[in-house]
C-alpha cells in the first residue's frame, strides 16, 4: 500500500489543544473489527466492554520534562534543547534550535545557574551530544527547569505537567506520552479490577520518532526509529495465564502493542526481557498477542494509523476515522479514544 492511502481530511479545529478537565470523560468509539460497526460511548463506559479474566497491558513509562531553554554564555542568545537519549550519567543526545548556535565547545546556562551545559559533539543527523552540570540531582533540576515536550500540533501551553502523564506512570524516560493511557483515572482502574479485569505493565520509552512523518510513498521502505522496552516477569505470566484461560489481551496504546508484538516476534512467546525495538506494523500483519486495542486518533499518513489498520482492517479504520471527523471527535494526544475488539 501507499502512504497516501492513509490520508484523511482533518479540520484544524478538531485537533485537541488541551486535556479535558476529567480524564475519563473523553468520548470513546467502539469499533468491531469483524463487522466494521461503530458505537459511540464515553471512556468511563469502558468497563462495560471488558470482561472478567481479560487483561489490559499498560505502558508505565513517564515523560521527561525534556524541553530546556538556555542562554549561550558568550552572547546571551536563547537556545532550545530537547533531550532525546541518555548516553551516560549527565550526557544526552539532544535536538538544539537554532543548531548553528550550539557548536562543539559552546557553553550554556539554564535557570540563572541551576544548570549549565557544554556541547561535546555534533552527529551526522545534526543532533548534539551535550553534557549537563548541576549541583542538585540532574532529574530534580530538570523537573524545576524543563517543560513537557508537547507535539508540534499542540500550540497552547500546558498548565499542569501531570496532565501529559498517565496516572500510573513510573519509569522516567519518554520524550512523548503514551497517550491512550491518559484517559484512565485511578478510580476507573479500580473499577476494572473490581470487575475482575487483570492489569499488567510494560515499559516502552517513547521516542520523538513517534511524530516523524512517513516521507516515502512505498510504506515498506519506511525506517522506524528504535525505542527501549522492558517486559517484567509478572506481566509475561499474566499474559500466558490469560491466553490459557481463553480470555482477551487488550493493549492500551500502540506502544504497549509494539512491545508485546516485538517480544512475540523475537522469541516466539511472551517472556520477561528487555531490549530495543524498531518493529513497524502495517497491513497485512498477523498479530501474535493482541485481542483488542485501546488507542487515540492518529495523524494522517502516520505509522500509528498504519498499525491500527493492520489490526482493525484498512477499510474499517478509514471508515471509522471518517465517522470520527463527521461526529466532531477530538484528535491526537489530548483527544478522544477508540477501542477495537
Amino acid at each position: 500500500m501507499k502512504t497516501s492511502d492513509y490520508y484523511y481530511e482533518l479540520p484544524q479545529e478538531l485537533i485537541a489543544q488541551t486535556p479535558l478537565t476529567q480524564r475519563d470523560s473523553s468520548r470513546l468509539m467502539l469499533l468491531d473489527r469483524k463487522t466494521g460497526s461503530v458505537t459511540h460511548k464515553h471512556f468511563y463506559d469502558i468497563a462495560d466492554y471488558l470482561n472478567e479474566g481479560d487483561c489490559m497491558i499498560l505502558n508505565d513509562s513517564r515523560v521527561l520534562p525534556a524541553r530546556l531553554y538556555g542562554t549561550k554564555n558568550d552572547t546571551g542568545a536563547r537556545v532550545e534543547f530537547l533531550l532525546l537519549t541518555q548516553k551516560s550519567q549527565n550526557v544526552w543526545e539532544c535536538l538544539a534550535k537554532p543548531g548553528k548556535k550550539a557548536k562543539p565547545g559552546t557553553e550554556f546556562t539554564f535557570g540563572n545557574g541551576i544548570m549549565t551545559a557544554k556541547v561535546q559533539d555534533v552527529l551526522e543527523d545534526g543532533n548534539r551530544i551535550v553534557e549537563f552540570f548541576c549541583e542538585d540531582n540532574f532529574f530534580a533540576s530538570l523537573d524545576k527547569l524543563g517543560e513537557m515536550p508537547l507535539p508540534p500540533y499542540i500550540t497552547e501551553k500546558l498548565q499542569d505537567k501531570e496532565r501529559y502523564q498517565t496516572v500510573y506512570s513510573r519509569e522516567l524516560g519518554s520524550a512523548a506520552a503514551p497517550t491512550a493511557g491518559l484517559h484512565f483515572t485511578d478510580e476507573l482502574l479500580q473499577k476494572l479490577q473490581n470487575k475482575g479485569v487483570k492489569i499488567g505493565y510494560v515499559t516502552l520509552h517513547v521516542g520523538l520518532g513517534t511524530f516523524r512523518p512517513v516521507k516515502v510513498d512505498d510504506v515498506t521502505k519506511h525506517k522506524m526509529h528504535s525505542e527501549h522496552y522492558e517486559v517484567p516477569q509478572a506481566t509475561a505470566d499474566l499474559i500466558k495465564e490469560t491466553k490459557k484461560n481463553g480470555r482477551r489481551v487488550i493493549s492500551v496504546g500502540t506502544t504497549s502493542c509494539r512491545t508485546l508484538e516485538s517480544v512475540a516476534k523475537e522469541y516466539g512467546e511472551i517472556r520477561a526481557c528487555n531490549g530495543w525495538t524498531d518493529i513497524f506494523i502495517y497491513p497485512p500483519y498477523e498479530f501474535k498477542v493482541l485481542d483488542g486495542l485501546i488507542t487515540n486518533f492518529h495523524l494522517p499518513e502516520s505509522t500509528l494509523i498504519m498499525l491500527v489498520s493492520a489490526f482493525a482492517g484498512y477499510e474499517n479504520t478509514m471508515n471509522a476515522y471518517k465517522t470520527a471527523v463527521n461526529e466532531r471527535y477530538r484528535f491526537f494526544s489530548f483527544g478522544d479514544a477508540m477501542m477495537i475488539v
Side-chain angles (χ1 to χ4, degrees):
M1 296 187 83
K2 294 183 177 179
T3 300
S4 55
D5 291 332
Y6 296 92
Y7 180 78
Y8 65 92
E9 289 284 349
L10 180 68
Q12 190 75 17
E13 67 270 16
L14 296 186
I15 300 173
Q17 292 296 316
T18 54
L20 296 178
T21 305
Q22 182 65 20
R23 287 177 183 260
D24 62 0
S25 64
S26 56
R27 294 169 76 185
L28 176 68
M29 176 185 286
L30 297 164
L31 173 59
D32 185 321
R33 62 190 183 126
K34 292 189 180 74
T35 67
S37 68
V38 162
T39 310
H40 305 290
K41 296 289 181 178
H42 286 90
F43 201 83
Y44 50 68
D45 297 317
I46 203 164
D48 297 337
Y49 302 94
L50 290 160
N51 304 320
E52 182 179 355
D54 288 344
C55 80
M56 285 196 320
I57 304 301
L58 284 63
N59 180 7
D60 65 4
S61 182
R62 188 166 173 80
V63 185
L64 287 161
R67 183 169 274 125
L68 287 164
Y69 294 94
T71 53
K72 198 166 172 235
N73 286 2
D74 55 356
T75 65
R78 192 169 188 257
V79 176
E80 174 191 325
F81 290 88
L82 191 59
L83 307 184
L84 298 178
T85 308
Q86 189 173 17
K87 294 300 187 182
S88 59
Q89 188 173 4
N90 283 358
V91 178
W92 288 77
E93 181 177 341
C94 304
L95 288 174
K97 287 198 309 189
K100 63 185 178 185
K101 296 188 183 298
K103 295 174 181 173
T106 314
E107 297 181 348
F108 295 86
T109 299
F110 306 84
N112 297 317
I114 292 175
M115 185 187 289
T116 60
K118 185 175 183 178
V119 179
Q120 292 184 339
D121 197 9
V122 179
L123 303 180
E124 281 185 20
D125 59 5
N127 291 352
R128 268 59 180 170
I129 300 297
V130 182
E131 184 171 9
F132 293 90
F133 307 89
C134 48
E135 289 184 14
D136 202 352
N137 173 277
F138 173 77
F139 291 105
S141 300
L142 186 63
D143 200 47
K144 290 177 193 168
L145 299 171
E147 293 184 7
M148 281 298 170
L150 295 178
Y153 48 74
I154 294 177
T155 55
E156 291 198 25
K157 195 172 175 66
L158 184 63
Q159 298 305 314
D160 176 5
K161 281 184 187 178
E162 282 303 308
R163 293 308 308 273
Y164 197 56
Q165 306 279 16
T166 62
V167 297
Y168 49 80
S169 63
R170 287 191 294 252
E171 302 295 333
L172 198 62
S174 276
T179 55
L182 295 177
H183 304 282
F184 286 97
T185 63
D186 289 322
E187 294 76 18
L188 182 55
L189 288 169
Q190 189 60 56
K191 181 180 179 181
L192 287 162
Q193 288 176 298
N194 291 346
K195 188 176 179 179
V197 177
K198 311 289 186 183
I199 294 177
Y201 296 94
V202 296
T203 303
L204 182 136
H205 292 315
V206 187
L208 281 183
T210 294
F211 305 114
R212 188 179 296 154
V214 178
K215 292 183 177 176
V216 290
D217 196 36
D218 180 352
V219 167
T220 64
K221 298 289 193 290
H222 178 69
K223 179 76 174 83
M224 284 290 282
H225 56 290
S226 192
E227 295 166 318
H228 191 263
Y229 72 84
E230 183 169 351
V231 178
Q233 187 66 54
T235 300
D237 292 343
L238 173 61
I239 291 171
K240 286 178 182 176
E241 180 192 2
T242 302
K243 290 289 191 183
K244 187 178 77 173
N245 293 335
R247 302 299 186 181
R248 299 178 301 174
V249 176
I250 311 290
S251 172
V252 176
T254 56
T255 58
S256 300
C257 165
R258 291 179 67 242
T259 301
L260 298 181
E261 292 297 322
S262 294
V263 173
K265 182 181 177 185
E266 177 79 15
Y267 300 106
E269 63 172 357
I270 294 295
R271 62 166 68 170
C273 58
N274 66 79
W276 292 82
T277 179
D278 60 358
I279 191 170
F280 180 19
I281 297 174
Y282 55 87
Y285 178 86
E286 186 177 336
F287 284 82
K288 299 162 186 64
V289 185
L290 256 65
D291 302 298
L293 176 65
I294 298 166
T295 187
N296 280 19
F297 290 91
H298 304 294
L299 277 74
E301 300 183 335
S302 64
T303 60
L304 303 181
I305 193 173
M306 293 172 190
L307 183 154
V308 171
S309 295
F311 187 68
Y314 174 76
E315 297 292 344
N316 290 345
T317 300
M318 301 312 289
N319 179 62
Y321 270 68
K322 184 178 178 182
T323 302
V325 170
N326 291 340
E327 295 290 329
R328 311 291 290 175
Y329 272 66
R330 300 165 80 245
F331 279 68
F332 305 162
S333 297
F334 288 138
D336 295 318
M338 173 193 282
M339 180 175 178
I340 309 163
V341 288

